[in-house]
Amino acid sequence: MNSSSLTCVLVAASEFNAEDFRKRDARGAFDCVVAVDGGFAHLEAIGRAPDHALGDFDSLGYVPEADSVEVHPAHKDKSDLELALDFAHEQGFGEVVIYGGLGGRLDHTLAALQMSARFAEEGMGVSFVGVDFAVRILVGPGEFSIPALHGTVSVFSAVDESFGVTERGMEYPLENATVANRTTLGLSNELVGQPAGVSVRRGTLFIFHPLGV
């Protein structure tokens, strides 16, 4: 099977949604599991051995024993999560799901989102899973479908402006709009229990959505 059709999951050190991870892992959703520094402890706590462990391991406090370990110096220009995305890209994975990348320090979360947008723009599917919400990075032209759920959806531009942004099947309609990264347009739309979706003609979006998509 071509690796571009496979999914790599990265488990970093921040807030870990163990329940969601277990469910998806049990149904075989992940083709490769990578522990990113302190994310090794999250996996160890649920008895899941990673396929690869990577980082400077300053958060973890020790270099773990695993089948495959990649140790980086603490003084470096890239975060451990960026190095992990480099690894997934080099291995040719087409889809990456990131746990432990949201929550905790706001500067780490912002850096993770901004940096990951570059990988999405280079053709990789990128999602973040938090404790009570998830984020999908959508690059135009493209569409993100949401099943019949209730909850809040927020859409922000990851670049100066994203064009042709449409939100369908939600309480507040948005049609062919320009969304800039200096406005709150796109904040807190509501799912109404019917299939919904977000599309963009040109640009890159961060789509904050409920779990279960």
Side-chain angles (χ1 to χ4, degrees):
M1 183 179 294
N2 192 319
S3 60
S4 64
S5 64
L6 302 180
T7 298
C8 180
V9 60
L10 310 179
V11 181
S14 194
E15 298 174 358
F16 180 49
N17 189 333
E19 180 181 0
D20 187 89
F21 178 91
R22 281 194 186 104
K23 287 179 180 177
R24 296 173 72 171
D25 193 35
R27 65 174 187 257
F30 307 134
D31 300 292
C32 178
V33 177
V34 177
V36 185
D37 198 325
F40 184 87
H42 290 320
L43 291 170
E44 189 174 46
I46 63 171
R48 177 54 158 97
D51 300 297
H52 185 67
L54 175 154
D56 56 30
F57 301 109
D58 59 347
S59 297
L60 187 62
Y62 61 92
V63 176
E65 293 185 6
D67 290 339
S68 177
V69 179
E70 184 179 329
V71 182
H72 291 266
H75 297 284
K76 56 188 185 300
D77 294 329
K78 293 184 177 182
S79 69
D80 290 329
L81 184 57
E82 185 171 3
L83 291 170
L85 280 160
D86 282 339
F87 169 82
H89 179 72
E90 290 162 4
Q91 296 299 310
F93 288 100
E95 190 76 25
V96 171
V97 180
I98 301 168
Y99 288 81
L102 303 173
R105 284 176 52 178
L106 181 58
D107 56 343
H108 280 203
T109 299
L110 182 59
L113 289 169
Q114 288 188 155
M115 170 271 299
S116 298
R118 171 172 61 85
F119 287 87
E121 289 164 351
E122 292 174 356
M124 177 183 286
V126 182
S127 299
F128 286 76
V129 178
V131 173
D132 52 11
F133 69 97
V135 181
R136 179 68 179 185
I137 302 178
L138 179 66
V139 179
E143 181 171 0
F144 179 68
S145 297
I146 302 172
L149 295 171
H150 291 275
T152 300
V153 173
S154 290
V155 175
F156 305 116
S157 183
V159 292
D160 288 344
E161 291 182 312
S162 292
F163 302 93
V165 178
T166 297
E167 299 178 16
R168 58 175 176 79
M170 302 185 209
E171 183 172 354
Y172 306 104
L174 191 65
E175 183 72 30
N176 199 31
T178 298
V179 176
N181 62 3
R182 294 293 186 270
T183 179
T184 56
L185 178 66
L187 176 66
S188 293
N189 210 335
E190 293 294 328
L191 298 171
V192 292
Q194 66 183 41
V198 178
S199 61
V200 58
R201 185 178 73 253
R202 178 161 60 90
T204 304
L205 301 177
F206 295 126
I207 304 174
F208 290 71
H209 61 86
L211 297 171
V213 175

